[in-house]
Amino acid sequence: MKIRVGLGYDVHQLAENRDLWIGGINIPHDKGALGHSDADVLLHVICDALLGAANLRDIGFHFPDTDPNYKDVDSKMLLKDVIELLTGKGYRVGNIDSTVCLQRPKLNPHIPEMQSVIAGLCGIDPEDVSIKATTSEQLGFVGKEEGISAYAVVLIQG
Ligand SMILES: [Zn+2]
């Protein structure tokens, strides 16, 4: 059996009059993330980590932000496509560990729902999807509520 790891990192600006999608769910807030798609930073880093683990380039390579097909696309569709690419190469997801960096709002109440959405898309148990949340203590673009960032590490098996 082959075991591989992958890493994902992503940033989105926060702006008013946008929905805030994180981990496949819509979180009530006075700002949302800006992007060509729904700008779901957590799903994007998971996609990138999975693609990296399978050496399948990155999310921008497969879903270019110049392609009108991906305008405001639900990032759950992107993750579904990434899982198909992995399956096509003979891999399945082992586990996911991730961190979302956001000053406000508190993500902890939403984490169980995000885990179950992501686990469903990846065909794994919610127990194998770890999501952590951190602020940046008012420092930098996260602390000043100008943006949101996230990191993910995944393990895949084939
Ligand atoms: Zn992104």
Side-chain angles (χ1 to χ4, degrees):
M1 185 176 66
K2 206 164 178 183
I3 295 178
R4 300 172 62 116
V5 294
L7 163 75
Y9 170 68
D10 192 23
V11 174
H12 282 272
Q13 277 184 56
L14 290 174
E16 278 160 18
N17 302 313
R18 282 279 294 187
D19 285 336
L20 183 59
W21 287 92
I22 304 176
I25 67 169
N26 191 336
I27 296 183
H29 190 45
D30 53 5
K31 284 181 176 179
L34 273 183
H36 185 66
S37 66
D38 65 5
D40 188 323
V41 73
L42 179 54
L43 293 191
H44 290 181
V45 292
I46 291 171
C47 285
D48 250 356
L50 291 167
L51 291 170
N55 201 0
L56 284 166
R57 304 289 298 265
D58 58 39
I59 194 169
F61 178 83
H62 294 281
F63 315 109
D65 64 6
T66 48
D67 187 335
N69 284 332
Y70 301 120
K71 175 98 186 92
D72 295 323
V73 73
D74 181 343
S75 294
K76 292 192 278 294
M77 303 311 293
L78 307 184
L79 181 53
K80 257 179 88 176
D81 286 359
V82 165
I83 295 293
E84 270 177 34
L85 287 167
L86 252 76
T87 308
K89 244 186 145 174
Y91 292 114
R92 62 187 175 82
V93 182
N95 74 299
I96 298 170
D97 184 24
S98 61
T99 299
V100 180
C101 311
L102 181 65
Q103 193 65 39
R104 266 187 336 120
K106 288 268 174 252
L107 292 185
N108 275 326
H110 305 288
I111 285 178
E113 194 183 346
M114 294 179 195
Q115 285 174 305
S116 104
V117 169
I118 293 164
L121 291 164
C122 295
I124 56 179
D125 195 284
E127 180 60 29
D128 294 322
V129 181
S130 152
I131 303 169
K132 307 183 300 296
T134 184
T135 69
S136 68
E137 302 286 340
Q138 269 94 41
L139 294 169
F141 68 85
V142 168
K144 292 176 177 46
E145 301 185 36
E146 293 166 353
I148 177 171
S149 64
Y151 302 83
V153 172
V154 303
L155 183 145
I156 62 171
Q157 300 163 351

